Amino acid sequence: MAEQSDEDGSRAAHGARGRPPTGQERWAAAKASPFLPAVVLSLIVAAAAGLFAGSYTYVMANPTPRHIPTAVVGLRTGPTERAFVAGMEKALHGTLRLTGYATPAAAGQAVEDQREFAVVRPRGRGVELDVAGASGASVAQLLAGTGAKVAAAAHVDVRIRDVRPLQKGDPRGLALFYISLAAVILGFVGAIQLSVHARALDPAERIAFTAGYALLGGFAIAAVVDWWLGALRLPFVQSWLILALTMFTSGMVFSMFNALMGRWAMLPTWGLMVLLGNPSSGGAVSWPLLPSALGHIGRWLPPGASVNAQHAAVYFGGRQHLFPYLVLAGWAVLSCTVFWVWRHRHPGGRETVPAPGP
């Protein structure tokens, strides 16, 4: 058998009966060589590295306001207030999406419900600008900085307040983004490791172990950030379960593509979850400062849903929204369903040994 194998390899390399190999024979030899997938993988890794850097640089290098929901209270008659709002709109290139409210309480309620990012209202002979750092640190910083400059230029007395500030351990508002990013990446890395080191798992067992490491990983992330480092005060059980659902969803997205595409499953997983999902999540740059398409797409992807759910749980605990949980659950159900339907293509599993006869 060894001699036959050597003879076949020799024919592929040198052609039959010593003649020069044909193009088809050269291609067959190249496909059988370990160098072809190694070269392809090297090119893919290089491209992924460039795209990864480019996706974040594109979003974070020059955040530009597009539509910033802003509440206004009683600013229809006073010239001082009108001058301030007009100056803000001019400075921000008309990107304020103004909505009038009858009372300060109604406008404040809209901020708490995460429908508005700021409130502009009269204050004596001047104006008060209320921002909410917890709604989006980058937006709050932009509005506060612009408001101060506009007030100075228009000679308007303005008081700027952060009515929903970030926690002291998270002054830039990035901690929630990073813990969600950790859950996303470790979620599919765990699934990759199961496919490599635990190939004998049956499909149902693989789903169960994905859920198991997601629960453990989510607990570990929350415990380190809250109990050990004290960087954030988390609603522990809720944050833990959000992280666990994020890890499970991310792991099952890879498992779905693994059943459909085999060893190249990392390509769509990386593209969906990292190149597109994380920059558009609203965690590093708030949605009103993202390109419009990314801002809308990000809400429908697991990373954005995870950031949104975690953000509301930590800073707006009494006013949760169901949408991000439905997005995470929807991706989890979709991935599990596709994986289960295509489980016959699941790489690995154990052969069924027939029971011995009587």
Side-chain angles (χ1 to χ4, degrees), residues 313-331:
V314 173
Y315 288 110
F316 301 93
R319 293 175 174 83
Q320 294 291 299
H321 295 285
L322 188 59
F323 180 72
Y325 298 93
L326 292 177
V327 170
L328 285 171
W331 277 97

Side-chain angles (χ1 to χ4, degrees), residues 113-137:
D113 290 338
Q114 302 162 69
R115 291 182 284 112
E116 307 289 351
F117 280 75
V119 179
V120 182
R121 59 180 181 173
R123 174 179 171 267
R125 296 184 178 180
V127 175
E128 186 168 285
L129 172 62
D130 293 342
V131 299
S135 294

Side-chain angles (χ1 to χ4, degrees), residues 70-146:
T70 304
V72 292
V73 182
L75 298 178
R76 301 303 182 190
T77 57
T80 301
E81 295 88 346
R82 290 203 307 270
F84 179 76
V85 171
M88 288 286 289
E89 289 190 289
K90 181 179 180 180
L92 296 172
H93 307 290
T95 58
L96 293 181
R97 193 179 69 195
L98 301 174
T99 303
Y101 289 85
T103 64
Q109 182 68 39
V111 172
E112 292 295 314
D113 290 338
Q114 302 162 69
R115 291 182 284 112
E116 307 289 351
F117 280 75
V119 179
V120 182
R121 59 180 181 173
R123 174 179 171 267
R125 296 184 178 180
V127 175
E128 186 168 285
L129 172 62
D130 293 342
V131 299
S135 294
S138 51
V139 174
Q141 292 168 4
L142 174 68
L143 291 175
T146 304

Side-chain angles (χ1 to χ4, degrees), residues 177-202:
F177 169 68
Y178 286 131
I179 67 173
S180 298
L181 177 63
V184 167
I185 293 180
L186 270 298
F188 66 72
V189 166
I192 293 171
Q193 295 305 305
L194 284 182
S195 69
V196 173
H197 300 292
R199 291 179 61 85
L201 291 176
D202 289 334

